Amino acid sequence: MPHVITQACCADASCVHACPVNCIHPTPDEPDFATAEMLYIDPVSCVDCGACVGACPVGAIVPHTALAPEQQDFLGINEALTGTDRPARPQARVPTLVRLGPTRTTLRVAVVGAGPAALYAADELLRQPGVEVTVFDRLPVPHGLARHGVAPDHTDTRAVADLFTAIEDQPGFTYRLGVNIGEDVTTEELAAHHHAVVYATGAGTDRPLDIPGVDLPGSTSATQVVGWYNDHPDHADAHVPLDHERAVIVGNGNVALDVARILATDPERLAGTSIARHALEALRGSRVREVVVLGRRGPEHAAFTLPELVGLAARDDIDLRIDAPGGIDPAAATTRQGRLKLEYLARIAARSHDTADGPPQTPPRRRIILRFRTAPLEVTGSSRAEGLRVARTELATGADGRVHAVPRPDSEETIAAGLVLGSVGYRGVEVPGVPFDPETSTIPHRGGRVLDGVGGRELPGLYVVGWIKRGPRGFIGSNKTCARETVNALLADANEGRLPTPGPAARFEELLRSRRPAPATV
């Protein structure tokens, strides 16, 4: 009876190292780990020991006989992803953690940011004796995108908070929430009072759409809508008009699918989740009945993951349609997971075609259309967003030698909509006093050590982890491997005496109280 990894997989690889027979792939030391959309279990090698079940922080692994109806497709997906090109080691290698040598003083580390990368880094540090970690965040609550970025109906993924609680309960861990590093306390002051500072500030804003009309009311970013329904303090008052029957989302990553699904879900189905009360009440009065999700390129370039697509397609209360002029060709995929995604899209397209030819649905379901090869040109409207002017696209090689999706002549149309959302990616934000690369929106580094500029020299005692280190890619658990690399660099520097000597901890506490009299600690 093999076990199966399902949609909620966060890819933190705890299950990999718990498995005694190396049947879970890809492992962190395999080349496709960084790009895989999900881990999977080889059903032939699995011995049904159940060790992975307890190791998974989000409850994503179940015996195949316990799969819910909407999870049944994952049995075939796990089997199809299994290949014969995996190493035959009896157990996956456990990454080495540098050990902190004997020290006469407590190693004090500040971590800036309180999301998954920050907490994984804190966990790695606190495995060492004689280490204290203080986690700072400008928000009054921790956990970053794990709290404010995961859709409220993804309850299994949100269960990763239980893992974070275990990290927070370790001796030597302290929060200082509601403290904005770079404003309340300068980065120089923070560094002067700690042996090391780890920046884990993530990618806290969106990449804007560069088309006319984006400043009209009703045109905003999917990031804002996610923050709005997840009660993010910065977005709780966002203007999200739901008075038109159609919304359009530009971009087709997992965030776009999350937002589309929330907009198309019966609000009463969301009532028992963690959704913000103000968002739930607004959705109860929503007139939105169709959400169009646009991708500039074809299905082979879709940014959403296979697990997210499977989960959406399993919803019997949502009418999922595919609009892919030119068809869907699984042979266009360059990876095994990509081929499975295209095959699954083709099945959905065939199913939706059959449904369209059948009798009307009673009652009519809300609809999501995944529309490919379509570029946004302009948000239309006078005093507010009333639609999106678009054009079909074709691929062309530009002067830079790169292939681009360009609008096709005479293919323009306007999609009527009262809500237009951009969902073309996150980007990092500069922290005052910390080197920043505006080209990649990341902090320049070498193996997690912060540099004074791209390709520059290492700055002693300064480190970086997470999306602000590598860009907005990967999943919650991807930060675990990233944190191990950074913490290993920090511990190696500590062992070799390369960390600065900080000022007294009591002096920093006095400074902090003078600037922020009552920072939150939990």
mmCIF file of all heavy atoms in Angstrom, residues 165-191:
data_model
loop_
_atom_site.group_PDB
_atom_site.id
_atom_site.type_symbol
_atom_site.label_atom_id
_atom_site.label_comp_id
_atom_site.label_asym_id
_atom_site.label_seq_id
_atom_site.Cartn_x
_atom_site.Cartn_y
_atom_site.Cartn_z
ATOM 1 N N THR A 165 5.475 27.170 15.348
ATOM 2 C CA THR A 165 5.267 27.266 16.795
ATOM 3 C C THR A 165 6.322 26.458 17.544
ATOM 4 O O THR A 165 6.846 26.899 18.583
ATOM 5 C CB THR A 165 3.859 26.769 17.167
ATOM 6 O OG1 THR A 165 2.897 27.599 16.521
ATOM 7 C CG2 THR A 165 3.643 26.833 18.673
ATOM 8 N N ALA A 166 6.656 25.274 17.033
ATOM 9 C CA ALA A 166 7.684 24.461 17.673
ATOM 10 C C ALA A 166 9.036 25.162 17.641
ATOM 11 O O ALA A 166 9.820 25.073 18.607
ATOM 12 C CB ALA A 166 7.770 23.099 16.980
ATOM 13 N N ILE A 167 9.323 25.874 16.560
ATOM 14 C CA ILE A 167 10.577 26.638 16.478
ATOM 15 C C ILE A 167 10.557 27.780 17.487
ATOM 16 O O ILE A 167 11.535 28.027 18.207
ATOM 17 C CB ILE A 167 10.775 27.173 15.048
ATOM 18 C CG1 ILE A 167 10.950 26.013 14.064
ATOM 19 C CG2 ILE A 167 11.968 28.131 14.984
ATOM 20 C CD1 ILE A 167 10.940 26.434 12.604
ATOM 21 N N GLU A 168 9.444 28.476 17.560
ATOM 22 C CA GLU A 168 9.328 29.626 18.463
ATOM 23 C C GLU A 168 9.435 29.232 19.931
ATOM 24 O O GLU A 168 9.829 30.056 20.770
ATOM 25 C CB GLU A 168 7.987 30.334 18.207
ATOM 26 C CG GLU A 168 7.877 30.944 16.819
ATOM 27 C CD GLU A 168 6.444 31.134 16.347
ATOM 28 O OE1 GLU A 168 5.508 30.708 17.062
ATOM 29 O OE2 GLU A 168 6.251 31.702 15.254
ATOM 30 N N ASP A 169 9.081 27.995 20.240
ATOM 31 C CA ASP A 169 9.107 27.538 21.630
ATOM 32 C C ASP A 169 10.499 27.116 22.099
ATOM 33 O O ASP A 169 10.673 26.774 23.275
ATOM 34 C CB ASP A 169 8.132 26.366 21.817
ATOM 35 C CG ASP A 169 6.674 26.799 21.771
ATOM 36 O OD1 ASP A 169 6.420 28.009 21.931
ATOM 37 O OD2 ASP A 169 5.799 25.934 21.555
ATOM 38 N N GLN A 170 11.468 27.115 21.214
ATOM 39 C CA GLN A 170 12.813 26.686 21.607
ATOM 40 C C GLN A 170 13.483 27.723 22.502
ATOM 41 O O GLN A 170 13.290 28.933 22.318
ATOM 42 C CB GLN A 170 13.682 26.459 20.363
ATOM 43 C CG GLN A 170 13.216 25.324 19.482
ATOM 44 C CD GLN A 170 14.131 25.139 18.297
ATOM 45 O OE1 GLN A 170 15.197 24.554 18.401
ATOM 46 N NE2 GLN A 170 13.702 25.643 17.144
ATOM 47 N N PRO A 171 14.280 27.279 23.464
ATOM 48 C CA PRO A 171 15.054 28.218 24.292
ATOM 49 C C PRO A 171 15.978 29.056 23.416
ATOM 50 O O PRO A 171 16.588 28.548 22.471
ATOM 51 C CB PRO A 171 15.858 27.291 25.213
ATOM 52 C CG PRO A 171 15.112 26.006 25.219
ATOM 53 C CD PRO A 171 14.489 25.872 23.865
ATOM 54 N N GLY A 172 16.041 30.333 23.711
ATOM 55 C CA GLY A 172 16.906 31.234 22.960
ATOM 56 C C GLY A 172 16.206 31.990 21.855
ATOM 57 O O GLY A 172 16.808 32.858 21.221
ATOM 58 N N PHE A 173 14.910 31.673 21.612
ATOM 59 C CA PHE A 173 14.156 32.349 20.547
ATOM 60 C C PHE A 173 13.346 33.498 21.144
ATOM 61 O O PHE A 173 12.658 33.329 22.150
ATOM 62 C CB PHE A 173 13.210 31.366 19.867
ATOM 63 C CG PHE A 173 12.454 31.954 18.695
ATOM 64 C CD1 PHE A 173 12.891 31.749 17.407
ATOM 65 C CD2 PHE A 173 11.295 32.713 18.889
ATOM 66 C CE1 PHE A 173 12.187 32.280 16.326
ATOM 67 C CE2 PHE A 173 10.604 33.251 17.826
ATOM 68 C CZ PHE A 173 11.050 33.037 16.527
ATOM 69 N N THR A 174 13.413 34.670 20.492
ATOM 70 C CA THR A 174 12.646 35.839 20.924
ATOM 71 C C THR A 174 12.120 36.585 19.710
ATOM 72 O O THR A 174 12.817 36.705 18.699
ATOM 73 C CB THR A 174 13.514 36.804 21.752
ATOM 74 O OG1 THR A 174 14.097 36.108 22.847
ATOM 75 C CG2 THR A 174 12.684 37.969 22.289
ATOM 76 N N TYR A 175 10.891 37.072 19.811
ATOM 77 C CA TYR A 175 10.330 37.960 18.797
ATOM 78 C C TYR A 175 10.427 39.407 19.252
ATOM 79 O O TYR A 175 10.283 39.718 20.442
ATOM 80 C CB TYR A 175 8.853 37.654 18.574
ATOM 81 C CG TYR A 175 8.535 36.620 17.516
ATOM 82 C CD1 TYR A 175 7.665 35.565 17.789
ATOM 83 C CD2 TYR A 175 9.082 36.714 16.238
ATOM 84 C CE1 TYR A 175 7.350 34.616 16.824
ATOM 85 C CE2 TYR A 175 8.774 35.770 15.269
ATOM 86 C CZ TYR A 175 7.913 34.727 15.571
ATOM 87 O OH TYR A 175 7.618 33.803 14.614
ATOM 88 N N ARG A 176 10.649 40.300 18.266
ATOM 89 C CA ARG A 176 10.447 41.736 18.446
ATOM 90 C C ARG A 176 9.620 42.187 17.245
ATOM 91 O O ARG A 176 10.154 42.549 16.199
ATOM 92 C CB ARG A 176 11.780 42.486 18.530
ATOM 93 C CG ARG A 176 12.577 42.208 19.791
ATOM 94 C CD ARG A 176 11.883 42.820 21.017
ATOM 95 N NE ARG A 176 12.661 42.645 22.239
ATOM 96 C CZ ARG A 176 12.516 41.655 23.091
ATOM 97 N NH1 ARG A 176 11.615 40.713 22.836
ATOM 98 N NH2 ARG A 176 13.242 41.578 24.177
ATOM 99 N N LEU A 177 8.298 42.109 17.405
ATOM 100 C CA LEU A 177 7.397 42.426 16.304
ATOM 101 C C LEU A 177 6.953 43.877 16.376
ATOM 102 O O LEU A 177 6.976 44.500 17.445
ATOM 103 C CB LEU A 177 6.184 41.495 16.359
ATOM 104 C CG LEU A 177 6.511 39.997 16.303
ATOM 105 C CD1 LEU A 177 5.254 39.162 16.482
ATOM 106 C CD2 LEU A 177 7.210 39.633 14.995
ATOM 107 N N GLY A 178 6.538 44.416 15.232
ATOM 108 C CA GLY A 178 6.159 45.825 15.175
ATOM 109 C C GLY A 178 7.360 46.745 15.170
ATOM 110 O O GLY A 178 7.237 47.934 15.454
ATOM 111 N N VAL A 179 8.532 46.213 14.825
ATOM 112 C CA VAL A 179 9.768 47.001 14.757
ATOM 113 C C VAL A 179 10.232 47.024 13.303
ATOM 114 O O VAL A 179 10.504 45.964 12.722
ATOM 115 C CB VAL A 179 10.870 46.404 15.659
ATOM 116 C CG1 VAL A 179 12.158 47.216 15.523
ATOM 117 C CG2 VAL A 179 10.415 46.355 17.110
ATOM 118 N N ASN A 180 10.320 48.194 12.735
ATOM 119 C CA ASN A 180 10.709 48.349 11.337
ATOM 120 C C ASN A 180 12.204 48.635 11.260
ATOM 121 O O ASN A 180 12.650 49.757 11.517
ATOM 122 C CB ASN A 180 9.902 49.479 10.695
ATOM 123 C CG ASN A 180 9.992 49.454 9.176
ATOM 124 O OD1 ASN A 180 10.819 48.748 8.608
ATOM 125 N ND2 ASN A 180 9.159 50.238 8.517
ATOM 126 N N ILE A 181 12.977 47.605 10.928
ATOM 127 C CA ILE A 181 14.417 47.773 10.814
ATOM 128 C C ILE A 181 14.719 48.632 9.589
ATOM 129 O O ILE A 181 14.239 48.365 8.490
ATOM 130 C CB ILE A 181 15.131 46.413 10.701
ATOM 131 C CG1 ILE A 181 14.853 45.564 11.945
ATOM 132 C CG2 ILE A 181 16.628 46.609 10.502
ATOM 133 C CD1 ILE A 181 15.312 46.168 13.248
ATOM 134 N N GLY A 182 15.524 49.636 9.793
ATOM 135 C CA GLY A 182 15.800 50.614 8.746
ATOM 136 C C GLY A 182 15.119 51.927 9.019
ATOM 137 O O GLY A 182 15.510 52.961 8.473
ATOM 138 N N GLU A 183 14.100 51.894 9.918
ATOM 139 C CA GLU A 183 13.406 53.118 10.329
ATOM 140 C C GLU A 183 13.415 53.262 11.850
ATOM 141 O O GLU A 183 14.000 54.210 12.375
ATOM 142 C CB GLU A 183 11.967 53.123 9.795
ATOM 143 C CG GLU A 183 11.887 53.212 8.276
ATOM 144 C CD GLU A 183 10.459 53.346 7.781
ATOM 145 O OE1 GLU A 183 9.549 53.587 8.615
ATOM 146 O OE2 GLU A 183 10.238 53.214 6.567
ATOM 147 N N ASP A 184 12.787 52.338 12.566
ATOM 148 C CA ASP A 184 12.789 52.414 14.033
ATOM 149 C C ASP A 184 14.199 52.216 14.578
ATOM 150 O O ASP A 184 14.600 52.866 15.545
ATOM 151 C CB ASP A 184 11.856 51.353 14.631
ATOM 152 C CG ASP A 184 10.414 51.547 14.208
ATOM 153 O OD1 ASP A 184 9.995 52.707 14.054
ATOM 154 O OD2 ASP A 184 9.708 50.546 14.019
ATOM 155 N N VAL A 185 14.898 51.290 13.986
ATOM 156 C CA VAL A 185 16.290 51.004 14.333
ATOM 157 C C VAL A 185 17.062 50.916 13.031
ATOM 158 O O VAL A 185 16.613 50.250 12.091
ATOM 159 C CB VAL A 185 16.411 49.669 15.108
ATOM 160 C CG1 VAL A 185 17.878 49.343 15.385
ATOM 161 C CG2 VAL A 185 15.633 49.713 16.410
ATOM 162 N N THR A 186 18.196 51.586 12.941
ATOM 163 C CA THR A 186 18.970 51.527 11.707
ATOM 164 C C THR A 186 19.668 50.180 11.588
ATOM 165 O O THR A 186 19.897 49.463 12.574
ATOM 166 C CB THR A 186 20.024 52.638 11.637
ATOM 167 O OG1 THR A 186 21.047 52.391 12.625
ATOM 168 C CG2 THR A 186 19.399 54.008 11.902
ATOM 169 N N THR A 187 20.012 49.839 10.363
ATOM 170 C CA THR A 187 20.728 48.584 10.159
ATOM 171 C C THR A 187 22.099 48.621 10.812
ATOM 172 O O THR A 187 22.597 47.585 11.278
ATOM 173 C CB THR A 187 20.862 48.303 8.654
ATOM 174 O OG1 THR A 187 21.432 49.451 7.997
ATOM 175 C CG2 THR A 187 19.502 48.015 8.035
ATOM 176 N N GLU A 188 22.711 49.800 10.868
ATOM 177 C CA GLU A 188 24.013 49.924 11.524
ATOM 178 C C GLU A 188 23.886 49.677 13.028
ATOM 179 O O GLU A 188 24.734 48.995 13.629
ATOM 180 C CB GLU A 188 24.615 51.314 11.267
ATOM 181 C CG GLU A 188 24.991 51.591 9.820
ATOM 182 C CD GLU A 188 23.804 51.971 8.950
ATOM 183 O OE1 GLU A 188 22.699 52.187 9.503
ATOM 184 O OE2 GLU A 188 23.968 52.071 7.726
ATOM 185 N N GLU A 189 22.825 50.199 13.633
ATOM 186 C CA GLU A 189 22.603 49.971 15.063
ATOM 187 C C GLU A 189 22.325 48.502 15.361
ATOM 188 O O GLU A 189 22.812 47.950 16.358
ATOM 189 C CB GLU A 189 21.441 50.833 15.555
ATOM 190 C CG GLU A 189 21.748 52.329 15.574
ATOM 191 C CD GLU A 189 20.511 53.186 15.802
ATOM 192 O OE1 GLU A 189 19.396 52.743 15.427
ATOM 193 O OE2 GLU A 189 20.665 54.313 16.332
ATOM 194 N N LEU A 190 21.571 47.865 14.485
ATOM 195 C CA LEU A 190 21.274 46.448 14.684
ATOM 196 C C LEU A 190 22.552 45.620 14.609
ATOM 197 O O LEU A 190 22.798 44.759 15.474
ATOM 198 C CB LEU A 190 20.276 45.980 13.617
ATOM 199 C CG LEU A 190 19.722 44.567 13.777
ATOM 200 C CD1 LEU A 190 18.835 44.477 15.020
ATOM 201 C CD2 LEU A 190 18.940 44.153 12.535
ATOM 202 N N ALA A 191 23.372 45.883 13.589
ATOM 203 C CA ALA A 191 24.613 45.124 13.419
ATOM 204 C C ALA A 191 25.590 45.372 14.558
ATOM 205 O O ALA A 191 26.333 44.470 14.959
ATOM 206 C CB ALA A 191 25.255 45.479 12.084
#
